[in-house]
Amino acid sequence: MATAQQAQDTDPLAAAEALKAALSQAGIVLPSLAVDVGSPALGLVELGRVRADVAMRLADALRQSGEK
């Protein structure tokens, strides 16, 4: 788990791009994935809404990565 300092030091744009690339490798696209510009001091990444089938594929991908 990230510390508060690590969270503050992480560039949200870099984090969003890294997540987008990793999801793409798993064949998953989150169309609304972007930096939350409404609260720049918090460094938030907006994941947005996804269809239920995409959520299931994301859950499966996370489970598979945990099995390695």
Side-chain angles (χ1 to χ4, degrees):
M1 182 132 197
T3 66
Q5 185 61 44
Q6 287 170 321
Q8 289 177 345
D9 291 343
T10 302
D11 175 32
L13 182 57
E17 291 301 319
L19 180 57
K20 194 177 292 187
L23 289 170
S24 179
Q25 286 181 342
I28 299 169
V29 176
L30 299 181
S32 301
L33 179 62
V35 173
D36 181 356
V37 296
S39 51
L42 296 177
L44 300 177
V45 174
E46 178 68 41
L47 301 179
R49 296 179 179 184
V50 297
R51 294 186 323 260
D53 64 306
V54 175
M56 290 298 286
R57 288 180 33 228
L58 181 55
D60 289 343
L62 289 170
R63 276 194 290 274
Q64 289 174 6
S65 70
E67 294 173 358
K68 292 179 181 178

